[in-house]
Amino acid sequence: MSRNILIVDDEEDVQAIAKLGLELGAGWNVLTACSGREALNVAANSQVDVILLDMMMPDMDGRATLQKLKANPVTKQIPVILLTAKVQESDQDCFTGLDVAAIFAKPFRPLKLAGQISEVLGWAYSEIES
């Protein structure tokens, strides 16, 4: 079953690498957004199965974007996985209490991403044969 994934990251290279890994590795449809505001619009107007959300973005950061997603009845049920470079134990407090499915560390392995998402969300997953 093809999934629709929204990647929200202000770094185009991160978007491109994740998109490539999910499309090639699992055959999923990938939407992208460069900002929190764009993510809110895409999520509200598209059938999205999961959102990969960068924590550190200009203007509206991941935390603010997450709060708005969870406050909107149209998007509140979409699982969100945070992408962050801040995975040290000292940074863990800032993630406490957030309504997220998981937190993935950056940098990530693009070809392993679909498997990690599937595992967290309990989706059946099989890699596409090359």
Side-chain angles (χ1 to χ4, degrees):
M1 177 177 164
S2 186
R3 302 285 185 174
N4 293 317
I5 314 300
L6 173 57
I7 300 170
V8 185
D9 201 303
D10 59 313
E11 296 180 49
E12 287 183 19
D13 56 338
V14 172
Q15 282 184 16
I17 289 167
K19 181 174 177 155
L20 192 64
L22 294 173
E23 289 176 345
L24 292 178
W28 292 348
N29 180 44
V30 179
L31 305 168
T32 59
C34 294
S35 68
R37 292 193 200 307
E38 185 181 359
L40 296 173
N41 184 42
V42 172
N45 294 300
S46 305
Q47 291 290 105
V48 177
D49 295 305
V50 65
I51 298 170
L52 300 181
L53 178 60
D54 183 27
M55 279 301 285
M56 295 187 297
M57 296 184 293
D59 301 322
M60 184 187 302
D61 68 5
R63 182 180 296 272
T65 304
L66 178 65
Q67 288 171 339
K68 290 186 181 292
L69 286 166
K70 295 302 178 180
N72 182 340
V74 175
T75 58
K76 72 179 182 179
Q77 297 301 322
I78 302 171
V80 175
I81 296 173
L82 296 181
L83 295 175
T84 182
K86 294 188 170 216
V87 290
Q88 301 300 321
E89 210 167 300
S90 58
D91 298 316
Q92 294 302 310
D93 289 346
C94 69
F95 302 123
T96 304
L98 294 181
D99 184 7
V100 295
I103 300 169
F104 289 173
K106 285 166 119 182
F108 51 83
R109 301 198 44 207
L111 294 176
K112 301 278 184 195
L113 197 53
Q116 292 174 306
I117 293 168
S118 297
E119 184 178 332
V120 164
L121 298 177
W123 294 349
Y125 170 70
S126 62
E127 291 183 50
I128 291 180
E129 299 298 323
S130 307

